[in-house]
Amino acid sequence: MSRGVRSALLRWGVLVVAVAGWQVVARAHGSVYFPPPADIAGHAYDLWFSGPVGHAFLTAEAVDNILPSLGRMATGFAIAAVAGIALGIAVGRSRRTYALCNPVLQFARAIPPPALVPVFVVVFDFGTPMQLASIVFSAVWPVLINTADGARNTDPLRLEVAAVLRLTAPERLWLLLLPSALPRIFAGLRLSLSLCLILMVFSELLPGTANGIGFTLTDAQSRSDLLTVWAALVLLGALGHLLNTGLLAVEKRLLGRGRPV
Amino acid sequence: MLRLDSLGQRYGEHRVLHDISLTVPDGQLLCVVGPSGCGKSTLLRTIAGLLPAHEGTVSIDGDPVVGVPDRLAVVFQDYGRSLFPWLSVRENVALPLRRRGMARAERRNEAERILERVGLGGVGRRHPWQLSGGMQQRVAIARALVCRPSLLLMDEPFGSLDAQTREDLEDLLLDVHRAEGTTIVFVTHDIDESVYVGDRVVVLSAGPGSRVVLDLPVGLPGEREQIGTRGLAEFVALRAEVGRTVRG
Ligand SMILES: Nc1ncnc2c1ncn2[C@@H]1O[C@H](COP(=O)(O)OP(=O)(O)O)[C@@H](O)[C@H]1O
Ligand SMILES: [Mg+2]
């Protein structure tokens, strides 16, 4: 058996044992607050994934709550990524701009993202614009700072090569600065993706929200429906893991061509 | 014609080059020799327009050099770092052709043609980091040659290669020089190499404030050829003279 297969088996083994242990303990206890995982999974299935084939097995409940959440998150992440990369390159392209902007960026990054939400509630009132603004303003900093750092650390010899080749500014950006910064850009994107998930849920917990996974959580809590609360938590964990795996796959594909793996 | 007039260069308070005057006629292969740290790379960077001259002037065909001149190519000392690892070998080599307004397919063919010329036919689709040091250096040379430069600057291009690869590339360079008549400034710290490759050898003194301490035409009979040429009495005498000057 190869090392990779063995360690994969081991990882899955630990997960299976943990879930089984949880199942046994929760069942023995019979507490309504801590339902066994099999019940949670069954409930999640009934609630979201027992829909018609034509809707990819999604129920109306899933279409009404999971999809809007994912939509907000994807929109927020896309805006944060594009803005973060563009601004990061602009800041990191010159040593002077970087030195000038760095203190402001470090300050902005140091603010705990959920603390920004009240600001946007005041500016936008409750609703989707507030939610998007919260996601974007939290998630943009890691991308921006990492991209700026990556662009700033472009090999000076390669910058001289670009000058000798007389690359135009867009060519220099596309052929040198972006590829040089790419590993750092992805480091930033991964941080920002997990922030997006956090802020997506957090902003949906607030009043004035009529749908979303966060709304499902508060709604179920108000009805003391703990099974749904647990199902939503498991769903969030699974979503976070899936999205991160997807991003890692993209990263591997893009970076694999550029350097020895 | 490349002309340096009382060129002086410094980094802050650190003087590097002092009062360098040289005229390099079209088609000449000039070797610049000097101890490490004497300012050879600085000299090339100044000629390439990457560093503004601190004192004096650099001019090409009578025009002072401000910024990187047209039809200039440089092979940098650290060839591995000078290639773009995220581009294929062919894309790396085709980079200089972007300024030529060529179609994509044309650029590709031209890159393949020049890769063939430096003995790298068939590796165009690979990436630089998949090649050995000697092959990477050939890629860097191909990238320099592909736009048929009228002035080629080479900074210790063969410094870190094994003896066999190095001799092959020296002969390749001489071939290209004969065929294209390119003006070449070739920096090396290897005295043997300077006499074997050069039409003329210039020796810089140790810094700070290096100056030209020897300017020697290399008149060797016949075509250069690794074993024969290095055995010639003229070769041995020239090498001895350059060697004595370098050691001071
Ligand atoms: N960017 C720089 N800033 C300050 N000093 C430098 C810089 N580049 C080179 N030097 C110094 O200038 C001198 C000449 O360097 P260089 O031209 O690289 O020499 P060589 O190529 O002959 O070995 C050295 O003493 C080196 O330390
Ligand atoms: Mg040097």
Side-chain angles (χ1 to χ4, degrees), chain A residues 85-200:
Chain A
I85 293 171
L87 292 173
I89 292 278
V91 169
R93 229 174 34 161
S94 114
R95 246 154 230 283
R96 250 174 71 100
T97 3
Y98 183 88
L100 289 176
C101 297
N102 198 33
V104 181
L105 295 179
Q106 296 301 338
F107 177 78
R109 167 162 76 174
I111 299 172
L116 285 167
V117 175
V119 177
F120 294 117
V121 172
V122 173
V123 176
F124 293 111
D125 209 342
F126 296 105
T128 305
M130 174 277 283
Q131 292 166 335
L132 278 181
S134 307
I135 296 175
V136 170
F137 271 80
S138 314
V140 76
W141 307 113
V143 190
L144 205 170
I145 289 168
N146 276 283
T147 306
D149 225 30
R152 187 181 62 113
N153 288 323
T154 304
D155 192 325
L157 180 65
R158 295 207 174 111
L159 289 172
E160 289 194 329
V161 171
V164 168
L165 297 177
R166 306 204 303 159
L167 298 183
T168 60
E171 285 169 346
R172 211 170 70 115
L173 173 68
W174 195 246
L175 297 170
L176 180 57
L177 295 177
L178 272 178
S180 297
L182 207 55
R184 293 298 302 273
I185 291 178
F186 270 101
L189 286 177
R190 266 182 279 137
L191 283 170
S192 129
L193 186 66
S194 57
L195 280 176
C196 281
L197 188 70
I198 294 172
L199 267 292
M200 178 265 281

Side-chain angles (χ1 to χ4, degrees), chain B residues 106-166:
Chain B
E106 216 178 329
R107 292 205 300 255
R108 229 173 93 151
N109 291 340
E110 196 63 10
E112 283 297 344
R113 191 187 59 76
I114 202 83
L115 278 169
E116 197 84 44
R117 177 93 166 82
V118 301
L120 287 180
V123 306
R125 296 167 67 96
R126 292 215 242 157
H127 284 263
W129 43 268
Q130 294 171 311
L131 308 180
S132 69
M135 290 165 93
Q136 287 179 19
Q137 184 58 304
R138 283 171 202 260
V139 176
I141 292 173
R143 184 176 68 186
L145 296 178
V146 74
C147 61
R148 300 175 190 272
S150 55
L151 176 60
L152 172 59
L153 309 177
M154 305 179 88
D155 195 354
E156 306 197 19
F158 311 142
S160 54
L161 303 174
D162 62 276
Q164 176 67 50
T165 311
R166 180 190 190 112

Side-chain angles (χ1 to χ4, degrees), chain B residues 162-240:
Chain B
D162 62 276
Q164 176 67 50
T165 311
R166 180 190 190 112
E167 290 182 358
D168 289 350
L169 290 182
E170 285 167 5
D171 289 336
L172 170 73
L173 179 69
L174 288 175
D175 268 2
V176 169
H177 180 238
R178 246 193 317 269
E180 315 256 335
T182 317
T183 312
I184 302 176
V185 180
F186 184 100
V187 161
T188 176
H189 61 245
D190 184 322
I191 295 156
D192 255 58
E193 184 171 72
S194 71
V195 176
Y196 179 73
V197 169
D199 296 329
R200 171 185 176 193
V201 177
V202 159
V203 178
L204 298 181
S205 61
S210 309
R211 47 178 78 233
V212 174
V213 286
L214 180 71
D215 188 342
L216 192 69
V218 179
L220 292 174
E223 280 220 341
R224 310 223 175 156
E225 178 262 316
Q226 289 292 348
I227 311 236
T229 303
R230 287 177 202 268
L232 292 171
E234 290 94 330
F235 182 89
V236 176
L238 286 164
R239 189 184 58 190

